[in-house]
Amino acid sequence: MTSTHGHHEAGYGQPTGAGERRNGFGIAALVLGIVGALLFWTAIGGIVLGLLAVIFGVLGFRRSRRGVATNGTMAVIGAVLGALALVVSSVLLAMGVAVVNSDEFKDYQDCIEHASSQSDRQDCARDFDREVDER
């Protein structure tokens, strides 16, 4: 579009070629951070998506600091949500591994393998709960 002054103007809200904003990393960080926070109880949700949210958040924030992007706050929020999902999911995974590797769980598995009825399996579960509670 040519103005009355003879130079070209970009449409309202339209970035020009040189000043084009690249907000993809910040948006990706926020989306991944939210989904990772909602799915923190899964390894894929919490760990993988959380880690990706942190990476994209840092990249998006760096772009905003250079003036290439305009959504630095969005990138930071995504990175924080991703980091929280990553930490909580990692703690839950570590706790799960500890339980599975415990002597109480091995006793429970052995009990279940030798149980011949549903009531025997229920007894195994009660014994396991009691052993874990005493620990």
Side-chain angles (χ1 to χ4, degrees), residues 77-108:
I77 292 170
V80 169
L81 286 173
L84 289 173
L86 178 64
V87 169
V88 172
S89 187
S90 297
V91 168
L92 289 176
L93 181 64
M95 288 172 52
V97 168
V99 167
V100 169
N101 288 329
S102 70
D103 291 334
E104 291 84 6
F105 189 73
K106 290 176 182 153
D107 292 342
Y108 171 72

PDB file of all heavy atoms in Angstrom, residues 77-108:
ATOM      1  N   ILE A  77       6.743 -18.463  31.577  1.00  0.00           N
ATOM      2  CA  ILE A  77       5.678 -19.231  32.236  1.00  0.00           C
ATOM      3  C   ILE A  77       5.690 -20.675  31.746  1.00  0.00           C
ATOM      4  O   ILE A  77       5.566 -21.612  32.536  1.00  0.00           O
ATOM      5  CB  ILE A  77       4.307 -18.563  31.994  1.00  0.00           C
ATOM      6  CG1 ILE A  77       4.240 -17.228  32.731  1.00  0.00           C
ATOM      7  CG2 ILE A  77       3.165 -19.480  32.426  1.00  0.00           C
ATOM      8  CD1 ILE A  77       3.040 -16.372  32.364  1.00  0.00           C
ATOM      9  N   GLY A  78       5.858 -20.871  30.448  1.00  0.00           N
ATOM     10  CA  GLY A  78       5.949 -22.227  29.901  1.00  0.00           C
ATOM     11  C   GLY A  78       7.132 -22.992  30.456  1.00  0.00           C
ATOM     12  O   GLY A  78       7.020 -24.172  30.796  1.00  0.00           O
ATOM     13  N   ALA A  79       8.273 -22.329  30.577  1.00  0.00           N
ATOM     14  CA  ALA A  79       9.466 -22.983  31.117  1.00  0.00           C
ATOM     15  C   ALA A  79       9.277 -23.345  32.583  1.00  0.00           C
ATOM     16  O   ALA A  79       9.677 -24.435  33.019  1.00  0.00           O
ATOM     17  CB  ALA A  79      10.689 -22.071  30.947  1.00  0.00           C
ATOM     18  N   VAL A  80       8.654 -22.468  33.351  1.00  0.00           N
ATOM     19  CA  VAL A  80       8.414 -22.750  34.777  1.00  0.00           C
ATOM     20  C   VAL A  80       7.447 -23.921  34.939  1.00  0.00           C
ATOM     21  O   VAL A  80       7.690 -24.833  35.737  1.00  0.00           O
ATOM     22  CB  VAL A  80       7.896 -21.490  35.508  1.00  0.00           C
ATOM     23  CG1 VAL A  80       7.384 -21.820  36.890  1.00  0.00           C
ATOM     24  CG2 VAL A  80       9.001 -20.444  35.585  1.00  0.00           C
ATOM     25  N   LEU A  81       6.346 -23.908  34.179  1.00  0.00           N
ATOM     26  CA  LEU A  81       5.405 -25.029  34.242  1.00  0.00           C
ATOM     27  C   LEU A  81       6.088 -26.335  33.827  1.00  0.00           C
ATOM     28  O   LEU A  81       5.878 -27.384  34.444  1.00  0.00           O
ATOM     29  CB  LEU A  81       4.196 -24.766  33.348  1.00  0.00           C
ATOM     30  CG  LEU A  81       3.191 -23.750  33.836  1.00  0.00           C
ATOM     31  CD1 LEU A  81       2.146 -23.468  32.759  1.00  0.00           C
ATOM     32  CD2 LEU A  81       2.527 -24.230  35.113  1.00  0.00           C
ATOM     33  N   GLY A  82       6.898 -26.269  32.788  1.00  0.00           N
ATOM     34  CA  GLY A  82       7.635 -27.454  32.336  1.00  0.00           C
ATOM     35  C   GLY A  82       8.604 -27.950  33.383  1.00  0.00           C
ATOM     36  O   GLY A  82       8.730 -29.154  33.603  1.00  0.00           O
ATOM     37  N   ALA A  83       9.294 -27.024  34.047  1.00  0.00           N
ATOM     38  CA  ALA A  83      10.244 -27.423  35.091  1.00  0.00           C
ATOM     39  C   ALA A  83       9.518 -28.076  36.264  1.00  0.00           C
ATOM     40  O   ALA A  83       9.989 -29.089  36.812  1.00  0.00           O
ATOM     41  CB  ALA A  83      11.037 -26.202  35.565  1.00  0.00           C
ATOM     42  N   LEU A  84       8.376 -27.521  36.650  1.00  0.00           N
ATOM     43  CA  LEU A  84       7.596 -28.130  37.738  1.00  0.00           C
ATOM     44  C   LEU A  84       7.126 -29.529  37.351  1.00  0.00           C
ATOM     45  O   LEU A  84       7.218 -30.466  38.152  1.00  0.00           O
ATOM     46  CB  LEU A  84       6.402 -27.246  38.095  1.00  0.00           C
ATOM     47  CG  LEU A  84       6.717 -25.939  38.798  1.00  0.00           C
ATOM     48  CD1 LEU A  84       5.460 -25.086  38.928  1.00  0.00           C
ATOM     49  CD2 LEU A  84       7.326 -26.201  40.162  1.00  0.00           C
ATOM     50  N   ALA A  85       6.621 -29.677  36.138  1.00  0.00           N
ATOM     51  CA  ALA A  85       6.179 -30.993  35.668  1.00  0.00           C
ATOM     52  C   ALA A  85       7.343 -31.975  35.645  1.00  0.00           C
ATOM     53  O   ALA A  85       7.208 -33.130  36.058  1.00  0.00           O
ATOM     54  CB  ALA A  85       5.553 -30.879  34.283  1.00  0.00           C
ATOM     55  N   LEU A  86       8.490 -31.508  35.190  1.00  0.00           N
ATOM     56  CA  LEU A  86       9.686 -32.348  35.123  1.00  0.00           C
ATOM     57  C   LEU A  86      10.115 -32.814  36.507  1.00  0.00           C
ATOM     58  O   LEU A  86      10.387 -34.003  36.730  1.00  0.00           O
ATOM     59  CB  LEU A  86      10.815 -31.570  34.440  1.00  0.00           C
ATOM     60  CG  LEU A  86      12.168 -32.240  34.294  1.00  0.00           C
ATOM     61  CD1 LEU A  86      12.064 -33.448  33.397  1.00  0.00           C
ATOM     62  CD2 LEU A  86      13.171 -31.249  33.716  1.00  0.00           C
ATOM     63  N   VAL A  87      10.152 -31.912  37.463  1.00  0.00           N
ATOM     64  CA  VAL A  87      10.585 -32.256  38.824  1.00  0.00           C
ATOM     65  C   VAL A  87       9.600 -33.208  39.496  1.00  0.00           C
ATOM     66  O   VAL A  87       9.997 -34.247  40.038  1.00  0.00           O
ATOM     67  CB  VAL A  87      10.780 -30.969  39.675  1.00  0.00           C
ATOM     68  CG1 VAL A  87      10.954 -31.308  41.145  1.00  0.00           C
ATOM     69  CG2 VAL A  87      11.977 -30.183  39.172  1.00  0.00           C
ATOM     70  N   VAL A  88       8.315 -32.879  39.444  1.00  0.00           N
ATOM     71  CA  VAL A  88       7.314 -33.722  40.111  1.00  0.00           C
ATOM     72  C   VAL A  88       7.266 -35.105  39.473  1.00  0.00           C
ATOM     73  O   VAL A  88       7.222 -36.125  40.169  1.00  0.00           O
ATOM     74  CB  VAL A  88       5.924 -33.043  40.095  1.00  0.00           C
ATOM     75  CG1 VAL A  88       4.849 -33.984  40.604  1.00  0.00           C
ATOM     76  CG2 VAL A  88       5.953 -31.770  40.921  1.00  0.00           C
ATOM     77  N   SER A  89       7.308 -35.157  38.157  1.00  0.00           N
ATOM     78  CA  SER A  89       7.283 -36.439  37.462  1.00  0.00           C
ATOM     79  C   SER A  89       8.528 -37.269  37.786  1.00  0.00           C
ATOM     80  O   SER A  89       8.437 -38.485  37.969  1.00  0.00           O
ATOM     81  CB  SER A  89       7.174 -36.219  35.958  1.00  0.00           C
ATOM     82  OG  SER A  89       6.998 -37.431  35.283  1.00  0.00           O
ATOM     83  N   SER A  90       9.666 -36.623  37.876  1.00  0.00           N
ATOM     84  CA  SER A  90      10.908 -37.337  38.216  1.00  0.00           C
ATOM     85  C   SER A  90      10.848 -37.908  39.631  1.00  0.00           C
ATOM     86  O   SER A  90      11.289 -39.034  39.880  1.00  0.00           O
ATOM     87  CB  SER A  90      12.109 -36.401  38.086  1.00  0.00           C
ATOM     88  OG  SER A  90      12.256 -35.978  36.755  1.00  0.00           O
ATOM     89  N   VAL A  91      10.301 -37.128  40.564  1.00  0.00           N
ATOM     90  CA  VAL A  91      10.162 -37.603  41.948  1.00  0.00           C
ATOM     91  C   VAL A  91       9.215 -38.805  41.996  1.00  0.00           C
ATOM     92  O   VAL A  91       9.501 -39.813  42.655  1.00  0.00           O
ATOM     93  CB  VAL A  91       9.673 -36.468  42.874  1.00  0.00           C
ATOM     94  CG1 VAL A  91       9.250 -36.998  44.232  1.00  0.00           C
ATOM     95  CG2 VAL A  91      10.773 -35.423  43.039  1.00  0.00           C
ATOM     96  N   LEU A  92       8.082 -38.710  41.296  1.00  0.00           N
ATOM     97  CA  LEU A  92       7.142 -39.832  41.266  1.00  0.00           C
ATOM     98  C   LEU A  92       7.767 -41.071  40.638  1.00  0.00           C
ATOM     99  O   LEU A  92       7.570 -42.192  41.122  1.00  0.00           O
ATOM    100  CB  LEU A  92       5.875 -39.447  40.498  1.00  0.00           C
ATOM    101  CG  LEU A  92       4.949 -38.462  41.183  1.00  0.00           C
ATOM    102  CD1 LEU A  92       3.792 -38.099  40.255  1.00  0.00           C
ATOM    103  CD2 LEU A  92       4.422 -39.027  42.490  1.00  0.00           C
ATOM    104  N   LEU A  93       8.531 -40.887  39.583  1.00  0.00           N
ATOM    105  CA  LEU A  93       9.212 -42.016  38.949  1.00  0.00           C
ATOM    106  C   LEU A  93      10.210 -42.652  39.895  1.00  0.00           C
ATOM    107  O   LEU A  93      10.277 -43.883  40.016  1.00  0.00           O
ATOM    108  CB  LEU A  93       9.892 -41.561  37.658  1.00  0.00           C
ATOM    109  CG  LEU A  93      10.624 -42.642  36.876  1.00  0.00           C
ATOM    110  CD1 LEU A  93       9.644 -43.700  36.382  1.00  0.00           C
ATOM    111  CD2 LEU A  93      11.374 -42.025  35.705  1.00  0.00           C
ATOM    112  N   ALA A  94      10.980 -41.827  40.604  1.00  0.00           N
ATOM    113  CA  ALA A  94      11.961 -42.350  41.561  1.00  0.00           C
ATOM    114  C   ALA A  94      11.270 -43.116  42.694  1.00  0.00           C
ATOM    115  O   ALA A  94      11.737 -44.178  43.116  1.00  0.00           O
ATOM    116  CB  ALA A  94      12.799 -41.207  42.134  1.00  0.00           C
ATOM    117  N   MET A  95      10.134 -42.583  43.155  1.00  0.00           N
ATOM    118  CA  MET A  95       9.391 -43.283  44.208  1.00  0.00           C
ATOM    119  C   MET A  95       8.847 -44.615  43.690  1.00  0.00           C
ATOM    120  O   MET A  95       8.887 -45.620  44.403  1.00  0.00           O
ATOM    121  CB  MET A  95       8.246 -42.399  44.720  1.00  0.00           C
ATOM    122  CG  MET A  95       8.721 -41.227  45.542  1.00  0.00           C
ATOM    123  SD  MET A  95       7.412 -40.042  45.968  1.00  0.00           S
ATOM    124  CE  MET A  95       6.152 -41.063  46.664  1.00  0.00           C
ATOM    125  N   GLY A  96       8.355 -44.636  42.468  1.00  0.00           N
ATOM    126  CA  GLY A  96       7.850 -45.872  41.876  1.00  0.00           C
ATOM    127  C   GLY A  96       8.929 -46.914  41.720  1.00  0.00           C
ATOM    128  O   GLY A  96       8.723 -48.095  42.024  1.00  0.00           O
ATOM    129  N   VAL A  97      10.102 -46.489  41.284  1.00  0.00           N
ATOM    130  CA  VAL A  97      11.229 -47.417  41.143  1.00  0.00           C
ATOM    131  C   VAL A  97      11.642 -47.955  42.512  1.00  0.00           C
ATOM    132  O   VAL A  97      11.927 -49.148  42.661  1.00  0.00           O
ATOM    133  CB  VAL A  97      12.416 -46.726  40.429  1.00  0.00           C
ATOM    134  CG1 VAL A  97      13.688 -47.539  40.532  1.00  0.00           C
ATOM    135  CG2 VAL A  97      12.064 -46.458  38.976  1.00  0.00           C
ATOM    136  N   ALA A  98      11.632 -47.095  43.522  1.00  0.00           N
ATOM    137  CA  ALA A  98      11.987 -47.534  44.874  1.00  0.00           C
ATOM    138  C   ALA A  98      11.006 -48.576  45.392  1.00  0.00           C
ATOM    139  O   ALA A  98      11.397 -49.562  46.010  1.00  0.00           O
ATOM    140  CB  ALA A  98      12.050 -46.339  45.820  1.00  0.00           C
ATOM    141  N   VAL A  99       9.712 -48.365  45.125  1.00  0.00           N
ATOM    142  CA  VAL A  99       8.706 -49.337  45.578  1.00  0.00           C
ATOM    143  C   VAL A  99       8.872 -50.657  44.847  1.00  0.00           C
ATOM    144  O   VAL A  99       8.858 -51.732  45.463  1.00  0.00           O
ATOM    145  CB  VAL A  99       7.275 -48.771  45.375  1.00  0.00           C
ATOM    146  CG1 VAL A  99       6.232 -49.853  45.541  1.00  0.00           C
ATOM    147  CG2 VAL A  99       7.015 -47.636  46.344  1.00  0.00           C
ATOM    148  N   VAL A 100       9.042 -50.603  43.538  1.00  0.00           N
ATOM    149  CA  VAL A 100       9.165 -51.831  42.753  1.00  0.00           C
ATOM    150  C   VAL A 100      10.423 -52.613  43.148  1.00  0.00           C
ATOM    151  O   VAL A 100      10.415 -53.840  43.135  1.00  0.00           O
ATOM    152  CB  VAL A 100       9.154 -51.508  41.243  1.00  0.00           C
ATOM    153  CG1 VAL A 100       9.544 -52.699  40.411  1.00  0.00           C
ATOM    154  CG2 VAL A 100       7.779 -51.002  40.835  1.00  0.00           C
ATOM    155  N   ASN A 101      11.474 -51.926  43.528  1.00  0.00           N
ATOM    156  CA  ASN A 101      12.712 -52.597  43.917  1.00  0.00           C
ATOM    157  C   ASN A 101      12.755 -52.979  45.392  1.00  0.00           C
ATOM    158  O   ASN A 101      13.740 -53.554  45.845  1.00  0.00           O
ATOM    159  CB  ASN A 101      13.922 -51.726  43.575  1.00  0.00           C
ATOM    160  CG  ASN A 101      14.156 -51.669  42.083  1.00  0.00           C
ATOM    161  OD1 ASN A 101      13.865 -52.605  41.363  1.00  0.00           O
ATOM    162  ND2 ASN A 101      14.673 -50.553  41.614  1.00  0.00           N
ATOM    163  N   SER A 102      11.713 -52.687  46.139  1.00  0.00           N
ATOM    164  CA  SER A 102      11.723 -52.963  47.573  1.00  0.00           C
ATOM    165  C   SER A 102      11.480 -54.446  47.860  1.00  0.00           C
ATOM    166  O   SER A 102      10.889 -55.169  47.056  1.00  0.00           O
ATOM    167  CB  SER A 102      10.658 -52.126  48.285  1.00  0.00           C
ATOM    168  OG  SER A 102       9.373 -52.600  47.933  1.00  0.00           O
ATOM    169  N   ASP A 103      11.945 -54.885  49.023  1.00  0.00           N
ATOM    170  CA  ASP A 103      11.725 -56.270  49.452  1.00  0.00           C
ATOM    171  C   ASP A 103      10.238 -56.539  49.655  1.00  0.00           C
ATOM    172  O   ASP A 103       9.753 -57.641  49.363  1.00  0.00           O
ATOM    173  CB  ASP A 103      12.488 -56.553  50.755  1.00  0.00           C
ATOM    174  CG  ASP A 103      13.991 -56.567  50.541  1.00  0.00           C
ATOM    175  OD1 ASP A 103      14.436 -56.855  49.406  1.00  0.00           O
ATOM    176  OD2 ASP A 103      14.718 -56.284  51.512  1.00  0.00           O
ATOM    177  N   GLU A 104       9.510 -55.535  50.145  1.00  0.00           N
ATOM    178  CA  GLU A 104       8.077 -55.708  50.367  1.00  0.00           C
ATOM    179  C   GLU A 104       7.340 -56.010  49.056  1.00  0.00           C
ATOM    180  O   GLU A 104       6.456 -56.868  49.018  1.00  0.00           O
ATOM    181  CB  GLU A 104       7.464 -54.453  51.012  1.00  0.00           C
ATOM    182  CG  GLU A 104       7.897 -54.190  52.435  1.00  0.00           C
ATOM    183  CD  GLU A 104       9.228 -53.450  52.527  1.00  0.00           C
ATOM    184  OE1 GLU A 104       9.763 -53.040  51.489  1.00  0.00           O
ATOM    185  OE2 GLU A 104       9.726 -53.299  53.651  1.00  0.00           O
ATOM    186  N   PHE A 105       7.721 -55.324  47.998  1.00  0.00           N
ATOM    187  CA  PHE A 105       7.069 -55.558  46.714  1.00  0.00           C
ATOM    188  C   PHE A 105       7.441 -56.925  46.158  1.00  0.00           C
ATOM    189  O   PHE A 105       6.595 -57.608  45.573  1.00  0.00           O
ATOM    190  CB  PHE A 105       7.430 -54.460  45.708  1.00  0.00           C
ATOM    191  CG  PHE A 105       6.631 -54.527  44.437  1.00  0.00           C
ATOM    192  CD1 PHE A 105       5.297 -54.151  44.427  1.00  0.00           C
ATOM    193  CD2 PHE A 105       7.204 -54.988  43.268  1.00  0.00           C
ATOM    194  CE1 PHE A 105       4.541 -54.222  43.263  1.00  0.00           C
ATOM    195  CE2 PHE A 105       6.458 -55.057  42.101  1.00  0.00           C
ATOM    196  CZ  PHE A 105       5.129 -54.675  42.093  1.00  0.00           C
ATOM    197  N   LYS A 106       8.669 -57.345  46.343  1.00  0.00           N
ATOM    198  CA  LYS A 106       9.076 -58.690  45.891  1.00  0.00           C
ATOM    199  C   LYS A 106       8.308 -59.762  46.655  1.00  0.00           C
ATOM    200  O   LYS A 106       7.874 -60.766  46.076  1.00  0.00           O
ATOM    201  CB  LYS A 106      10.580 -58.859  46.040  1.00  0.00           C
ATOM    202  CG  LYS A 106      11.353 -58.011  45.043  1.00  0.00           C
ATOM    203  CD  LYS A 106      12.836 -58.098  45.242  1.00  0.00           C
ATOM    204  CE  LYS A 106      13.490 -57.179  44.227  1.00  0.00           C
ATOM    205  NZ  LYS A 106      14.755 -56.676  44.641  1.00  0.00           N
ATOM    206  N   ASP A 107       8.106 -59.549  47.970  1.00  0.00           N
ATOM    207  CA  ASP A 107       7.294 -60.482  48.752  1.00  0.00           C
ATOM    208  C   ASP A 107       5.858 -60.498  48.239  1.00  0.00           C
ATOM    209  O   ASP A 107       5.226 -61.558  48.152  1.00  0.00           O
ATOM    210  CB  ASP A 107       7.303 -60.100  50.241  1.00  0.00           C
ATOM    211  CG  ASP A 107       8.660 -60.294  50.889  1.00  0.00           C
ATOM    212  OD1 ASP A 107       9.505 -61.025  50.314  1.00  0.00           O
ATOM    213  OD2 ASP A 107       8.869 -59.712  51.964  1.00  0.00           O
ATOM    214  N   TYR A 108       5.326 -59.347  47.909  1.00  0.00           N
ATOM    215  CA  TYR A 108       3.966 -59.241  47.382  1.00  0.00           C
ATOM    216  C   TYR A 108       3.836 -59.998  46.061  1.00  0.00           C
ATOM    217  O   TYR A 108       2.886 -60.757  45.860  1.00  0.00           O
ATOM    218  CB  TYR A 108       3.591 -57.765  47.200  1.00  0.00           C
ATOM    219  CG  TYR A 108       2.296 -57.551  46.466  1.00  0.00           C
ATOM    220  CD1 TYR A 108       1.076 -57.828  47.078  1.00  0.00           C
ATOM    221  CD2 TYR A 108       2.293 -57.061  45.166  1.00  0.00           C
ATOM    222  CE1 TYR A 108      -0.122 -57.628  46.402  1.00  0.00           C
ATOM    223  CE2 TYR A 108       1.104 -56.860  44.484  1.00  0.00           C
ATOM    224  CZ  TYR A 108      -0.094 -57.142  45.108  1.00  0.00           C
ATOM    225  OH  TYR A 108      -1.274 -56.951  44.433  1.00  0.00           O
TER     226      TYR A 108
END
